[in-house]
């Protein structure tokens, strides 16, 4: 017998002995192993972004000044290129290759009315604007009707001699229409935070020099304002349909006020049906006017009035559009819901970006700094949501309490592992069907939400979100989350986390990502925080075209992490 025959005999005996010892436990072990390998192979995906893009998210300048750090820019705006200044608006008849205008708020509404201009399946598609009342009453507003309101309200204010218009209403179609009226008719818009104490409302009117107020009955102290703010010349009431039979044009007796009082619905209804259908012509339009906002600090600290130019807003909107990857950009298939006040520049910029992208926008009064996302999203299913950190923490706490069982905890571990280890958003599977029943109730159709945007407000008392909380929320909601740093004199955001950054660290407050394409950041020495050649830390200073005045110090200390993302010191 040869060596080969001996080898075959030995192999045959080994196989025979192996199967002779086979039992039920062997079957279970082999089945589990095959199942594990099959699951890994079938669910394995490439990371949503290359890991190296997360390692160094911004770059510092080659030279720094004494007492300051290098100037940091995001990878989307290298030092060899100018920061993003505008929307690159192409006028009709302009060359396809010519550089467009930076644009302003008027171009936002023109784009919303015109629809998608790029060639493709969505060419000509327009977004919708919805008002949400309660759980079932959702009203769609015609873009042409809103255009008519923009024109008629703007013309009325202009004819009555108004120039600075205070808008004191919750999130609504009328707020957007009033804002665009100011833009088209060269009026300065003053957007006041809603639900403020009477003394604060009067103070804001004085500081802004408003001569016209657009507001709603029951929320505006007309008697006090008429007595203590004699500069008020016009008041436009926005009256609910059920109360329009009453006379709202009276001035309070004994005030000696000469305020011209009118109502929104009468201005629209008393005009000819054909009036205000066309927007003012593009040719010969005047320079755009400013927008005034009020930044609210923590309790006990007076608010700060900030004047933003049209260029500040154009730059901030363009930066937000550029920050979203091309494959994920907003479009007509999206429903955008701001569940935070439009009086905040970050929320307002994102809403204007959604309009410019021809996404549908839903507005409700509950959305004014909503603390309960389930209530804020009743009757609709948003795909993109702007939420406050307080609302997200409440959602996290309520959802975490549901994951008490061993199965739920292990499923959450698997979801988190996909995010942090593989760099991919978890997809629907047989195992995740049980997980779906534990998800937070956001919208009428679970699973449609794809992006949540939230922000830390410098100097305010907003609760801070850790990277672990953000990761949990991504797993709970199935949506990506962008966490931004916002400040009083910066339109939009200073910095924000990247779209595909799912990493988790041991921190109490997550980092805020790199600067946007409209800002650059550096640090200057502040008390114990000193900058050296190897460490960039100190007071955060922001420069760029989206900054009111071009540059502002935030008054808080921060530092650049090893991955060149900004964090609080």
């Amino acid at each position: 017998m040869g060596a080969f025959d001996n080898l075959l005999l030995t192999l045959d005996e080994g196989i025979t002995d192996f199967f002779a010892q086979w039992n039920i436990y062997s079957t279970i072990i082999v089945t589990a192993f095959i199942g594990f390998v099959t699951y890994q192979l079938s669910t394995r995906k490439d990371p949503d972004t290359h890991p190296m893009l997360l390692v160094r998210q911004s770059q510092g300048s080659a030279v720094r000044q004494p007492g300051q750090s290098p100037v940091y820019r995001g990878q989307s705006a290298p030092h060899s290129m100018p920061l993003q200044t505008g929307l690159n608006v192409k006028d009709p008849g302009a060359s396809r290759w010519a550089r467009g205008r930076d644009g302003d708020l008027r171009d936002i509404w023109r784009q919303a009315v015109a629809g998608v201009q790029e060639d493709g399946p969505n060419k000509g598609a327009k977004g919708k604007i919805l008002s949400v009342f309660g759980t079932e009453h959702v009203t769609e507003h015609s873009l042409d009707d809103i255009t008519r309101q923009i024109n008629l309200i703007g013309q009325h204010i202009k004819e009555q001699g108004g120039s600075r218009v205070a808008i004191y209403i919750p999130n609504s179609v009328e707020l957007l229409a009033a804002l665009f009226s100011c833009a088209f008719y060269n009026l300065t818009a003053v957007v006041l935070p809603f639900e403020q104490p009477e003394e604060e409302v009067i103070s804001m009117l004085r500081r802004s020099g408003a001569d016209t107020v657009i507001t709603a009955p029951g929320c505006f102290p007309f008697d006090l304002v008429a007595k203590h703010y004699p500069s008020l010349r016009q008041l436009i009431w926005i009256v609910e349909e059920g109360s329009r039979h009453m006379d709202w044009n009276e001035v309070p007796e004994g005030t000696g006020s000469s305020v011209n009082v009118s109502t929104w619905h009468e201005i629209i209804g008393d005009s000819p049906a054909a009036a205000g259908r066309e927007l003012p012509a593009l040719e010969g339009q005047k320079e755009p006017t400013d927008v005034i906002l009020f930044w609210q600090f923590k309790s006990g600290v007076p608010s700060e009035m900030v004047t933003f130019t049209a260029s500040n807003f154009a730059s901030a909107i363009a930066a937000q559009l550029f920050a979203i990857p091309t494959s994920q950009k907003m479009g007509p298939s999206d429903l955008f819901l701001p569940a935070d006040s439009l009086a905040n520049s970050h929320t307002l910029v994102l809403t204007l970006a959604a309009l410019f992208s021809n996404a549908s926008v839903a507005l409700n009064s509950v959305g004014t700094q909503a603390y309960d996302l389930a209530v804020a999203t009743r009757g609709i299913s948003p795909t993109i949501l702007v939420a406050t950190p307080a609302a997200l923490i409440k959602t996290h706490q309520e959802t975490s309490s549901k994951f008490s069982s061993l199965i739920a905890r292990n499923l959450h571990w698997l979801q988190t592992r996909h995010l942090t280890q593989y760099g991919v958003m978890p997809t629907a599977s047989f195992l995740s069907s049980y997980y779906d029943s534990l998800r937070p109730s956001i919208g009428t159709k679970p699973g449609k939400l794809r992006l949540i945007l939230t922000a830390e407000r410098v100097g305010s008392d907003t609760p801070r979100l850790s990277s672990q909380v953000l990761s949990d929320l991504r797993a709970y909601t199935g949506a990506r989350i962008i966490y931004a740093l916002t400040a009083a004199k910066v339109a939009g955001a200073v910095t924000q986390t990247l779209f595909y950054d799912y990493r988790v660290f041991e921190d109490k407050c997550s980092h805020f990502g790199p600067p946007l394409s409209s800002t650059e950041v550096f640090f200057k020495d502040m008390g114990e925080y000193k900058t050296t050649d190897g460490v960039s830390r100190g007071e955060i200073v922001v420069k760029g075209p989206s900054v009111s005045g071009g540059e502002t110090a935030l008054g808080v200390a921060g530092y650049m992490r090893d991955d060149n993302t900004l964090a609080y010191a």
Side-chain angles (χ1 to χ4, degrees), residues 96-166:
R96 181 180 180 182
W97 312 110
R99 187 182 186 278
R101 296 181 292 107
D102 286 343
D104 54 65
L105 296 188
R106 294 170 290 191
D107 296 296
I108 301 290
W109 187 251
R110 286 194 181 101
Q111 174 65 29
V113 172
V116 177
Q117 301 299 303
E118 294 85 0
D119 293 333
N122 289 328
K123 185 175 178 62
K126 300 178 184 179
K128 302 175 182 177
I129 296 185
L130 310 174
S131 288
V132 184
F133 307 96
T135 58
E136 297 181 356
H137 190 189
V138 179
T139 302
E140 179 181 346
H141 300 271
S142 165
L143 297 183
D144 292 337
D145 288 345
I146 298 175
T147 295
R148 186 167 181 266
Q149 294 180 45
I150 290 171
N151 285 323
L152 296 178
I153 295 297
Q155 291 169 6
H156 175 84
I157 296 173
K158 200 74 173 177
E159 290 170 357
Q160 298 296 323
S163 61
R164 300 172 78 85
V165 183

Side-chain angles (χ1 to χ4, degrees), residues 81-276:
M81 301 290 289
L83 292 171
Q84 197 156 19
T85 59
L87 296 164
N88 193 31
V89 178
K90 300 291 182 66
D91 292 332
S95 170
R96 181 180 180 182
W97 312 110
R99 187 182 186 278
R101 296 181 292 107
D102 286 343
D104 54 65
L105 296 188
R106 294 170 290 191
D107 296 296
I108 301 290
W109 187 251
R110 286 194 181 101
Q111 174 65 29
V113 172
V116 177
Q117 301 299 303
E118 294 85 0
D119 293 333
N122 289 328
K123 185 175 178 62
K126 300 178 184 179
K128 302 175 182 177
I129 296 185
L130 310 174
S131 288
V132 184
F133 307 96
T135 58
E136 297 181 356
H137 190 189
V138 179
T139 302
E140 179 181 346
H141 300 271
S142 165
L143 297 183
D144 292 337
D145 288 345
I146 298 175
T147 295
R148 186 167 181 266
Q149 294 180 45
I150 290 171
N151 285 323
L152 296 178
I153 295 297
Q155 291 169 6
H156 175 84
I157 296 173
K158 200 74 173 177
E159 290 170 357
Q160 298 296 323
S163 61
R164 300 172 78 85
V165 183
I167 306 168
Y168 186 60
I169 47 180
N171 291 4
S172 61
V173 172
E174 288 82 5
L175 191 155
L176 288 180
L179 182 66
F180 287 120
S181 293
C182 293
F184 278 104
Y185 289 89
N186 295 99
L187 307 168
T188 299
V190 183
V191 185
L192 305 182
F194 194 59
E195 294 181 338
Q196 297 301 304
E198 296 175 346
E199 297 78 9
E200 182 66 13
V201 172
I202 296 173
S203 172
M204 290 179 179
L205 292 176
R206 283 197 181 116
R207 283 184 283 165
S208 64
D211 53 42
T212 303
V213 173
I214 298 175
T215 186
C219 64
F220 182 73
F222 187 18
D223 294 1
L224 280 177
V225 172
K227 288 180 180 179
H228 300 289
Y229 185 63
S231 298
L232 182 64
R233 290 290 175 264
Q234 291 187 73
L235 177 65
I236 299 177
W237 291 118
I238 299 175
V239 183
E240 293 183 358
E241 189 170 352
S243 302
R244 291 179 181 176
H245 63 282
M246 301 172 62
D247 183 8
W248 294 100
N249 297 325
E250 294 183 358
V251 177
E253 295 183 4
T255 62
S257 175
S258 59
V259 179
N260 177 23
V261 181
S262 55
T263 61
W264 186 285
H265 67 275
E266 287 178 348
I267 295 172
I268 305 303
D270 293 346
S271 301

Side-chain angles (χ1 to χ4, degrees), residues 407-547:
I407 295 176
R409 291 198 303 270
N410 285 333
L411 285 175
H412 180 65
W413 177 81
L414 284 174
Q415 299 275 315
T416 303
R417 190 164 180 261
H418 273 86
L419 285 163
T420 58
Q421 298 297 320
Y422 303 148
V424 295
M425 287 294 296
T427 55
S429 65
F430 172 76
L431 290 176
S432 66
S433 58
Y434 173 78
Y435 192 91
D436 292 342
S437 64
L438 304 176
R439 294 185 187 276
S441 177
I442 300 178
T444 56
K445 296 179 181 178
K448 290 197 67 176
L449 185 65
R450 69 181 186 91
L451 178 61
I452 298 174
L453 302 120
T454 189
E456 158 71 7
R457 293 169 54 85
V458 171
S460 186
D461 54 0
T462 51
R464 298 177 180 179
L465 303 174
S466 68
S467 58
Q468 183 62 61
V469 168
L470 292 173
S471 179
D472 288 344
L473 286 169
R474 290 186 187 102
Y476 294 158
T477 63
R480 295 178 174 88
I481 300 178
I482 293 178
Y483 191 29
L485 179 69
T486 60
K489 293 188 176 181
V490 182
V494 177
T495 65
Q496 66 183 32
T497 55
L498 296 183
F499 193 86
Y500 294 124
D501 191 352
Y502 315 137
R503 299 171 301 162
V504 174
F505 303 93
E506 294 183 2
D507 53 34
K508 294 182 179 180
C509 179
S510 169
H511 67 84
F512 302 108
L516 280 84
S517 57
S518 62
T519 58
E520 56 186 19
V521 172
F522 67 91
F523 307 90
K524 64 180 181 180
D525 292 348
M526 180 185 186
E528 61 181 302
Y529 302 105
K530 305 291 184 182
T531 290
T532 64
D533 287 338
V535 178
S536 294
R537 65 174 64 235
E539 183 181 15
I540 304 171
V541 183
V542 191
K543 298 192 296 183
S546 64
V547 181

